[in-house]
Amino acid sequence: MKRHVDDVVKILIGSALIAAGAVLIIPLLFTLLLSFEPRGYMAPFPPPGLSLQWYSKFFGSEYYMRALGISFAIALIAATVSSVIGVMAALCLTRSKSKIVHAINALFVAPLIVPGVVIGFSLLFFFSRIGVESSAIKIILAHVLITLPYTIRTNVASMAGIGETMVEASLSLGAREGQTLRRIVLPLGRTGIATGFIFAFAFSMDDIAVTIFLTSPTVYTLPAALIANMKANFDLTIAAASVFLAGVALLVIIILDRIVGVETVMGQGIYRN
Amino acid sequence: MFTLRWQLLFIASPLIVIVVLFLGPLALTVTESFRTYIPGDIGSTQGAPFTLDNYRDLSDAAYVGYFADTFRLSFIAALASMVLGYPLSHFIARRPPGFIRKAIVSALVILMFMSALVKVYALTIAFGPVGFGRSFSAMLGTRMNGSIMSEILVVIGLFSFLFPMTTLMMVSTIQNVNPRLLEAAVALGASWVTGHFRVILPLCIKGFVSTFIVIYTLAISAFVIPMILGRGQINFITNLIYTRFSEIANYPSGSALSVLMLLVSMVLVFISSSLLGRLAGSQKKQGTR
């Protein structure tokens, strides 16, 4: 009897999971197919053929390409700055034995707890009070702030793995601090540094909740451009852009998998060898 | 060991970033939320008198509706992610490393990294007039443009945002439970379902509670999902904050809403840490019994 109940429950769970999978994946497949729509408008499914017209519209659009370029440049600068600061913070957090380290650590992850919209709104306000005019600078500073928790965390994880003895040995053999940093610590921590950089880059490219408050008519990111068009003129250029963005996400995962392995996102557990 | 001079040099720049770009602006928002708003002006005039009106306005029935939507729909989506994520995460945690495990995990990680914009757009199209929106809403006995469909779309959108993350977080919790315990329970006559409820769930409850609070916090601070999928019929608190800034430039009211959101997130974090502390205490007691 009990086993029957089990079978029924397993079937129910199986079908619920299939439904969940369908909800997650079918809309994405739908978008993928529609991005090749040959008709010049959004028409009933399925498309009668295939065409790349929406892709050429997306890549030919000055508006979108400008947004893409700006997004890319901002992500590159913000991720670099955030990585440098993150490495410095991690060096101090892992090497210092002082008690206030815990408090500082909590302060560094605090931006993760605060909703993006609240951060964006507060920064908008702050920048207008202190008189920062340039949207590019505003967005870069904002992105450094929101990516910093990620770069600090990945760097703390990797720096903690570098034995104290390595640094001690280097310093006692006569290397100066700068040399030790350049020749011992940074090369040994490069996996964490690279992972943190990729995370920061991906989050910066994707952020909208903070960025939307800081854009201007000439400086806007790709997500901001797409959101504006999703509300105004809803056409399939956005489908092509979505497929492009999904491709970027895929690329990021492949690179991350090469560096640290995808399965490390959930740890190994203690009952697995 | 680096000298103190180097350590201070290292810690200075992240501290400056956090204090200047995070604590400073938040403090400014808190003071602004007490300023009097003069319609027509952008923001409050410098030195405007202090008032509690911005907060008093928030207790209006209309606002209570927005808050209720935010908390209710987020709760449904977070709960659905946990309930559906559990069997999948258990499957992943217990499966030996291999192609299928790697494929499922990779799919979840890709879905997690995919922009919320992509998911939102895909759902809008799939549930729109060229997709299966009409037949889906007919199946549920409602109209495609009705507010019930907007609610369902927001929940589905939140679900597709939360589900991959929830499942991966639950895997790391379940991995720390000895798989033999469930086998023992089943061998001793418990059904598979009872085994999960009486053995695995109590052992994982700490991790699951913290997972739930993390994803619930993420859900209530979602911005794009309710903005696009809510189609104007469903607005989250985050959307109100944006409207205060973009449409009517009422910064004091936006600030009051921001402070409210800040408090809610802080309370959730506080609840989770104190609850976890207590659960950890009770588990320790059980262990010594």
Side-chain angles (χ1 to χ4, degrees), chain A residues 168-201:
Chain A
E168 300 285 350
S170 162
L171 289 176
S172 68
L173 288 172
R176 276 174 281 116
E177 271 96 347
Q179 283 178 317
T180 307
L181 194 61
R182 266 196 316 276
R183 316 256 307 250
I184 308 289
V185 177
L186 294 184
L188 285 173
R190 64 181 185 277
T191 309
I193 298 171
T195 313
F197 181 86
I198 292 168
F199 269 101
F201 188 86

Side-chain angles (χ1 to χ4, degrees), chain B residues 233-262:
Chain B
Q233 290 162 320
I234 303 295
N235 282 297
F236 273 25
I237 305 175
T238 52
N239 305 129
L240 291 183
I241 296 176
Y242 182 65
T243 326
R244 285 295 173 280
F245 144 74
S246 66
E247 278 160 34
I248 49 180
N250 184 345
Y251 288 13
S253 172
S255 302
L257 282 164
S258 300
V259 172
L260 184 86
M261 280 225 71
L262 195 64

Side-chain angles (χ1 to χ4, degrees), chain A residues 96-131:
Chain A
S96 174
K97 304 211 163 41
S98 165
K99 282 240 171 63
I100 54 165
V101 163
H102 288 291
I104 295 178
N105 206 1
L107 187 64
F108 284 157
V109 294
L112 282 183
I113 301 162
V114 179
V117 172
V118 175
I119 292 183
F121 184 82
S122 302
L123 280 175
L124 160 84
F125 214 36
F126 174 72
F127 287 138
S128 73
R129 273 290 151 86
I130 63 167

Side-chain angles (χ1 to χ4, degrees), chain A residues 2-3 5-6 9-10 13 16-17 20 23-28 30-31 34 42-45 85 88-89 91-93 95-97 104 107-108 110-111 113-119 121-129 141-142 144-145 148 152 164 167-168 171 177-178 180-181 185 198-199 202-203 206 208-209 212-214 222-224 226-227 230-231 234-243 245-246 249-250 252-253 256-257 261-263 265-272, chain B residues 1-3 6-11 13-15 17-26 28-29 32 43-46 84-85 87-88 92-98 101-102 105-106 108-127 130-132 156 159-161 163-164 168-169 171-172 175-179 186 189-194 217 221-224 227-228 238-239 241-242 244-245 250-252 254-255 257-259 261-262 265-266 269:
Chain A
K2 271 179 187 167
R3 304 297 175 217
V5 175
D6 277 357
V9 169
K10 278 183 186 169
I13 290 174
L17 277 181
V23 164
L24 293 175
I25 294 173
I26 289 178
L28 295 173
F30 206 81
T31 308
L34 280 185
M42 216 180 274
F45 200 74
I85 299 178
M88 295 204 282
L91 277 172
C92 200
L93 290 176
R95 303 288 156 203
S96 174
K97 304 211 163 41
I104 295 178
L107 187 64
F108 284 157
I113 301 162
V114 179
V117 172
V118 175
I119 292 183
F121 184 82
S122 302
L123 280 175
L124 160 84
F125 214 36
F126 174 72
F127 287 138
S128 73
R129 273 290 151 86
L141 288 176
V144 168
L145 174 69
L148 196 55
I152 291 183
E164 185 84 338
V167 179
E168 300 285 350
L171 289 176
E177 271 96 347
T180 307
L181 194 61
V185 177
I198 292 168
F199 269 101
F203 279 103
D206 194 34
I208 183 72
I212 200 165
F213 288 93
L214 308 170
L222 186 59
L226 287 172
I227 277 277
M230 264 187 219
K231 289 203 285 191
F234 205 85
D235 72 10
L236 286 171
T237 322
I238 311 176
S242 294
V243 174
L245 280 179
L250 195 65
V252 168
I253 300 307
L256 265 185
D257 190 43
V262 155
E263 295 195 59
V265 289
M266 50 195 191
Q268 283 296 304
I270 51 178
Y271 291 99
R272 195 177 279 288
Chain B
M1 187 70 202
F2 289 106
T3 52
W6 278 83
Q7 289 193 19
L8 289 178
L9 195 73
F10 285 153
I11 208 74
S13 47
L15 270 181
V17 169
I18 293 285
V19 171
V20 173
L21 292 177
F22 182 66
L23 297 181
L26 285 183
L28 200 62
T29 301
E32 178 75 8
S44 70
T45 29
Q46 215 129 25
L84 288 168
L88 184 59
I92 297 173
R94 293 298 174 241
R95 203 171 165 87
R101 184 182 141 107
K102 172 112 180 170
V105 172
S106 306
L108 287 172
V109 174
I110 292 166
L111 283 175
M112 189 166 80
F113 263 84
M114 197 176 284
S115 171
L117 276 179
V118 175
K119 292 175 196 162
V120 161
Y121 179 78
L123 285 170
T124 324
I125 294 209
F127 285 90
V130 298
F132 33 80
I156 292 179
F159 174 79
S160 52
F161 164 57
F163 180 79
L168 292 172
M169 283 167 81
V171 171
S172 40
Q175 274 178 343
N176 290 332
V177 172
N178 193 331
V186 172
S191 75
W192 185 77
V193 177
T194 322
T217 316
S221 45
F223 174 66
V224 174
M227 179 159 98
I228 302 291
T238 52
N239 305 129
I241 296 176
Y242 182 65
R244 285 295 173 280
F245 144 74
N250 184 345
Y251 288 13
S255 302
L257 282 164
S258 300
V259 172
M261 280 225 71
L262 195 64
S265 320
M266 273 160 49
V269 171

